[in-house]
Amino acid sequence: MEPVPMLLAMTYRAMGDQFHDRLRQIGLEPLRPAHGYVFRFLARRRATTVDIGGHLGVTKQAAAKIVAELDEWGYVLREPHPTDKRAQYVTLTTKGRDYLKFADNLWTDLENEMAEAIGQDTVATIKAGLAAYLQHAHGEDQPGLRPVW
């Protein structure tokens, strides 16, 4: 059997693939995992493109491309930065916040399907164990959801 980190990575990938397959089935914009990391990052703050690039671990240019796509689709709003004329603040629009709620419901659906496959008690044990490990590893300073490229 594979080591736990590999199983976690493969499970996350399998669930992520199912998530994006469902987005395609309902006809949403061609959202990719990188977009999801931006949604989660912006859910708690407004940020500049440089901030978003740093969070994603990509260049400012790559982050700007992602932000431009999300802006074109109406998920984010770009506003002038009050002190840096070259920068813009990026925030989620109502459509972006609604998408996050939709995504959370879709993740819940996938978690329920996992529970059907392995049992609700097993899923509850996994969740409790992972939360305990994150508390052990990071204490109260929990890292946000970030991509691993």
Side-chain angles (χ1 to χ4, degrees):
M1 180 167 289
E2 299 287 341
V4 169
M6 300 297 251
L7 290 170
L8 289 171
M10 291 185 300
T11 300
Y12 177 70
R13 177 63 189 257
M15 292 180 86
D17 288 349
Q18 290 176 26
F19 180 93
H20 286 91
D21 286 346
R22 291 182 189 184
L23 291 182
R24 277 189 295 280
Q25 289 170 5
I26 62 173
L28 284 183
E29 294 83 5
L31 294 165
R32 300 183 310 276
H35 295 115
Y37 292 112
V38 173
F39 279 108
R40 296 289 170 193
F41 186 64
L42 294 176
R44 294 188 172 91
R45 69 188 61 78
R46 65 182 183 169
T48 66
T49 303
V50 171
D51 297 331
I52 292 167
H55 176 71
L56 294 176
V58 299
T59 65
K60 177 185 172 195
Q61 293 79 8
K65 180 179 180 204
I66 293 168
V67 168
E69 290 171 333
L70 291 173
D71 182 37
E72 179 182 328
W73 296 326
Y75 291 110
V76 300
L77 175 67
R78 293 185 274 189
E79 304 171 290
H81 192 284
T83 59
D84 183 349
K85 299 300 179 204
R86 297 171 298 153
Q88 295 177 323
Y89 273 125
V90 181
T91 58
L92 289 176
T93 62
T94 300
K95 181 180 178 181
R97 293 198 180 284
D98 289 346
Y99 171 77
L100 267 177
K101 291 175 193 167
F102 170 80
D104 287 344
N105 289 332
L106 185 51
W107 283 119
T108 297
D109 291 346
L110 291 168
E111 183 178 313
N112 289 337
E113 290 175 22
M114 175 186 270
E116 289 174 17
I118 67 173
Q120 186 62 45
D121 290 344
T122 302
V123 171
T125 300
I126 291 169
K127 286 175 77 170
L130 293 174
Y133 177 76
L134 288 172
Q135 178 66 33
H136 168 77
H138 298 288
E140 296 304 315
D141 189 26
Q142 296 294 315
L145 182 62
R146 299 176 64 142
V148 180
W149 304 113

